[in-house]
């Protein structure tokens, strides 16, 4: 999953980026790295840890989240190249600077300004497309979807909040509009505000935009990262912070995007795969490899909750008839352990 950290000049965007990478997630394997403006964190999952204990694989692979620090310029708005970078992201994190001004009203204004800038970018693109539509052929459904999106953007609300049906949304996908993707507001607060509830006024405005909110103190997280790992939790607790920003982010992302994991297991690797809730078994197979999706025959499935009560692993599950054979329309559930049968 690729997510982009976005913020206007002075928002503390780059500090937030570093804060999200500051602490290794519990149960994480491999090295967290940051190369230029990209860093990687992993989604902790106790179920994957337990599966690795059972199978003793050569490799453990949790869900990976790649974080991109976008918009490094000091421009008041976004240059074209940076907009293209946003379009390649699956999720955007909108950084709201709350560390300099203690007034929550200013935080609402900052969110409005940032959302307004993003909406203006999409609005300009739609207006150009509709102008060309006068002389170029365009499907009625596509034109109607563009007009609905245009009216939504003129109110400075993101496209994902527009009242569009599924076919209309599909008609817009090829444009990769910036505001037509999940977003999370990241409130970058001062140290003394760390751990405190988000003000009601900002929560109400975020609800209007259909945004989730993650509150953190990037400066505090930066201080924490210099401490030994065994001291970091106690340091945050002194400020009323119950978990590091990286852990809070992974939970917010999965909830906002309605992402669930399924697992593949074996002696070589135990791995968690991220899929949108409601995806069928055949489409989920494509997350592993396109050949498996194309040659899909059946999926052998057992839920984690049922599997971990058995003593003999998959062999015992098969012997007891717990390992189900499912077809391509089976909807994969949170925590399913899946083995695919395929032929290409």
């Amino acid at each position: 999953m690729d997510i982009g950290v976005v913020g206007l000049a002075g928002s503390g965007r780059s500090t937030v980026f570093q804060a999200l990478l500051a602490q290794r997630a519990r149960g994480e394997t491999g090295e967290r790295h940051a190369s230029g403006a990209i860093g990687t964190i992993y989604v902790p999952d106790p179920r994957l840890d337990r599966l690795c204990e059972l199978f003793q694989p050569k490799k453990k692979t949790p869900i990976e989240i790649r974080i991109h620090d976008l918009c490094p310029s000091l421009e008041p708005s976004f240059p074209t190249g940076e907009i293209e970078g946003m379009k390649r992201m699956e999720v955007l994190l909108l950084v709201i600077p709350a560390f300099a001004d203690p007034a929550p009203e200013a935080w609402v204004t900052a969110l409005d300004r940032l959302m307004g800038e993003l909406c203006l970018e999409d609005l300009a693109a739609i207006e150009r497309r509709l102008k060309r539509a006068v002389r170029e052929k365009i499907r009625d459904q596509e034109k109607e979807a563009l007009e609905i999106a245009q009216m939504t953007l003129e109110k400075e609300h993101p496209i994902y909040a527009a009242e569009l049906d599924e076919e209309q949304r599909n008609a817009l996908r090829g444009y990769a509009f910036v505001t037509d993707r999940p977003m999370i507001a990241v409130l970058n607060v001062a140290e003394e505000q760390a751990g405190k509830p988000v003000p009601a006024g900002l929560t109400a405005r975020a609800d209007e935009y259909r945004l989730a909110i993650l509150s953190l103190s990037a400066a505090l997280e930066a201080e924490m990262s210099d401490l030994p790992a065994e001291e970091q939790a106690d340091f945050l607790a002194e400020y009323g912070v119950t978990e590091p920003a990286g852990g809070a982010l992974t939970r917010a992302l999965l909830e906002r995007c309605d992402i669930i994991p399924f697992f593949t297991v074996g002696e070589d690797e135990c791995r968690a795969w991220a899929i949108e809730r409601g995806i069928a078994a055949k489409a989920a197979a494509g997350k592993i490899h396109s050949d498996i999706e194309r040659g899909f025959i059946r999926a052998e499935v057992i839920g984690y909750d049922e599997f971990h009560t058995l003593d003999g692993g998959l062999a015992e599950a098969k012997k007891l008839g717990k390992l189900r054979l499912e077809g391509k329309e089976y909807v994969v559930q949170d925590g399913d352990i899946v083995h695919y049968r395929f032929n290409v």
Side-chain angles (χ1 to χ4, degrees):
M1 179 184 293
D2 288 280
I3 68 173
V5 185
V6 178
L8 297 175
S11 65
R13 183 205 68 255
S14 289
T15 311
V16 167
F17 169 77
Q18 294 298 335
L20 295 173
L21 300 171
Q23 188 185 60
R24 188 182 304 277
R26 183 180 303 169
E28 175 184 315
T29 59
E31 291 297 321
R32 169 173 293 133
H33 61 276
S35 175
I38 303 174
T40 303
I41 61 176
Y42 300 91
V43 178
D45 193 319
R47 296 172 297 185
L48 181 61
D49 297 339
R50 177 59 179 150
L51 291 171
C52 288
E53 290 175 7
L54 292 171
F55 286 90
Q56 294 293 305
K58 297 174 184 176
K59 185 178 180 183
K60 169 186 171 183
T61 309
I63 294 172
E64 179 181 282
I65 297 175
R66 291 173 298 278
I67 305 177
H68 302 249
D69 182 13
L70 300 176
C71 304
S73 77
L74 299 178
E75 298 293 328
S77 57
F78 305 113
T80 301
E82 293 166 2
I83 287 295
E84 291 304 311
M86 293 184 210
K87 290 181 178 181
R88 291 192 293 270
M89 300 297 105
E90 296 170 66
V91 182
L92 293 181
L93 305 184
L94 311 185
V95 178
I96 312 304
F99 51 87
D101 193 331
E105 295 81 7
W107 306 351
V108 174
T109 300
L111 175 58
D112 287 343
R113 182 186 172 204
L114 179 52
M115 184 63 79
E117 291 280 357
L118 296 174
C119 289
L120 281 174
E121 294 290 342
D122 282 344
L123 185 59
I126 287 179
E127 288 174 345
R128 290 193 296 270
R129 181 66 184 97
L130 289 175
K131 279 184 180 180
R132 294 201 309 273
V134 175
R135 60 181 184 276
E136 297 176 5
K137 187 175 181 180
I138 183 174
R139 294 181 296 119
D140 290 342
Q141 188 177 60
E142 182 178 342
K143 184 171 183 293
E144 183 179 277
L146 287 168
E147 289 172 342
I148 294 172
Q150 181 183 36
M151 289 187 290
T152 302
L153 291 166
E154 286 172 346
K155 298 175 184 175
E156 296 194 347
H157 280 67
I159 290 175
Y160 69 73
E163 297 298 328
L164 295 163
D165 60 32
E166 186 175 353
E167 291 185 357
Q168 290 168 334
R169 289 203 177 276
N170 288 336
L172 296 181
R173 291 196 194 285
Y175 291 99
F177 291 121
V178 172
T179 67
D180 192 20
R181 70 199 65 243
M183 298 181 183
I184 297 175
V186 179
L187 189 64
N188 185 13
V189 300
E191 290 186 14
E192 58 270 18
Q193 292 292 325
K196 294 184 178 179
V198 177
L202 183 60
T203 300
R205 184 55 56 86
D207 287 344
E208 290 180 30
Y209 291 136
R210 300 184 188 178
L211 286 174
I213 301 182
L214 172 66
S215 178
L216 61 85
S217 171
L220 186 66
E221 299 271 347
E223 288 183 53
M224 177 208 69
S225 66
D226 293 331
L227 297 174
E230 61 272 14
E231 297 179 17
Q232 293 179 351
D234 290 340
F235 174 79
L236 289 179
E238 291 179 8
Y239 292 86
V241 179
T242 57
E243 66 177 327
L249 171 66
T250 57
R251 190 178 66 256
L253 277 171
L254 298 185
E255 290 175 357
R256 176 64 183 85
C257 302
D258 207 11
I259 298 293
I260 61 171
F262 75 92
F263 304 107
T264 54
V265 296
E267 295 180 356
D268 289 331
E269 181 183 37
C270 286
R271 181 163 183 166
W273 302 89
I275 57 171
E276 294 180 18
R277 190 184 302 276
I279 283 184
K282 184 177 179 181
K287 293 289 183 177
I288 302 174
H289 199 286
S290 58
D291 284 349
I292 301 177
E293 181 178 13
R294 187 172 67 254
F296 178 92
I297 300 173
R298 285 284 187 274
E300 295 179 329
V301 182
I302 183 171
Y304 173 83
D305 288 341
E306 187 173 24
F307 175 77
H308 90 281
T309 63
L310 305 176
D311 294 328
L314 291 177
E316 180 72 7
K318 185 175 292 187
K319 179 180 176 181
L320 296 174
K322 302 290 186 181
L323 200 62
R324 311 185 309 273
L325 285 178
E326 301 286 359
K328 62 182 180 180
E329 300 300 329
Y330 170 74
V331 175
V332 179
Q333 301 299 306
D334 185 355
D336 273 352
I337 299 167
V338 183
H339 174 72
Y340 282 102
R341 295 182 182 179
F342 66 102
N343 183 32
V344 291

